[in-house]
Amino acid sequence: MFSECRRYIKEGDSVSQFDSICEVQSDKASVTITSRYDGIIRKLHYNLDEIAYVGKPLVDIEIDASKGVAPEEDVVETPPMSHEEHTHQEIKGHKTLATPAVRRLAMENNIKLSEVVGTGKDNRILKEDILNYLAKQTGAILPPSPKAEIIPPLPKSETLPAAPKDKARKIPVPVSRPIVFSGKDKTEPVTGFQKAMVKTMSAALKIPHFGYCDEIDLTQLVQLREELKPLAQIRGVKLSFMPFFIKAASLGLLQYPILNASLDESCQNVTYKASHNIGVAMDTEQGLIVPNVKNVQVLSVFEIASELNRLQSLGSAGQLGTNDLTGGTFTLSNIGTIGGTYTKPVILPPEVAIGALGKIQVLPRFNGKGEVFKAQIMNVSWSADHRIIDGATMARFSNLWKSYLENPASMLLDLK
Ligand code: CAO
């Protein structure tokens, strides 16, 4: 069961294979459904935001006779809600990974796929890669990246806009739909990620939260990151502060494994998790999502950064799969990228602890000699499940995490 949250076509539109038909959202992931056929849209089986059911028809497409296929009505059914299945329509078993549409585009332009660098998952060649390759060959200037493009909100009724025609617009860009002020109350169903949030947060508030806050002097880390950023950039990775926060948390969890545990529903057993799957709260166009970096305990800071880059690009494209969104064991929420100092983070069950990071600010502080200096200060707010974690444990963990970040070289001693 899922809801259709964005549509790119209307009845009577012509579509080609792999054109986007609509975007659907379950409480775990959102997926773009593309056309399997060249043809004309004859019937839409659902209205926007209506609940659709797996295995039922979604849209009827009349197949285009001119493409050498006998005219007939065909039906694209609602797929089983597996993210993997619907993003993997490419031909496998070849040296290069690319969808048939991309292969056709390459063939039409006499481009050898082996000469194109793929920027998709597992080096898959995307349409943009072909267009970029072409642009380089011809010196043409491509339209701006669709990520930066502002697309007007879609109306909900029959007056849907025509399917995006130019190539760049074919990539769906999630845009939040503002509620237009009409002078009348408006009731909308709670769907998608919002629905998941209702479920998770209602469960979370059954947990007695213990809160603990502190301030961290990141002066050394800010400097270190400035030095390492260009090195990571050369290796194709954007290095933010998060990988350090995440690695320091994992080193702390090795000493305080109760914070990387879960409590069963009857509160009879605590399971200490072997993996440090550290969740990162992400603010996306579709709302809050919390993908996690798996097995941080065996990853370097660089590897965490690389994985975070991957999760962020998938997250902002609304393409995170179930695997990335489940199995978290501990969470960090960097609300400081937006603003604020202290907050009261809410634990994500079945996890037992979460940390929220405030904005890094330049503030006057005293050094060891009593002199005032410009310090880079960040506040941290922890919440822990007080049924199994006492305040002292939370405070000791926080002190250790803080010491790694205030003196980042000390992390070297414990890195494996
Ligand atoms: N204070 C000030 N600046 C910060 C910062 C902080 N706490 N954390 C990061 N920054 C800076 C970064 O260094 C980066 O600057 P540069 O471009 O100069 O390198 C810039 O802010 C943008 O960082 P980023 O967003 O690309 O990367 P990140 O790894 O720091 O953060 C993510 C990633 C996903 C945590 C963040 O984008 C995000 O979504 N934060 C919001 C989380 C949220 O909504 N929490 C609430 C959950 S409860 O509803």
Side-chain angles (χ1 to χ4, degrees), residues 32 40 42 59 86 90 118 120 165 172 199 215 218 222 270 281:
T32 300
I40 295 166
R42 284 298 174 218
V59 56
H86 295 282
E90 70 277 12
K165 286 291 176 212
K199 212 160 98 185
E215 83 166 33
L218 294 182
V222 167
V270 178

Side-chain angles (χ1 to χ4, degrees), residues 9-26:
I9 42 94
K10 62 180 187 309
E11 284 175 5
D13 276 355
S14 299
V15 284
S16 305
Q17 260 190 77
F18 300 100
D19 277 357
S20 297
I21 288 186
C22 63
E23 198 171 305
V24 295
Q25 198 169 53
S26 74

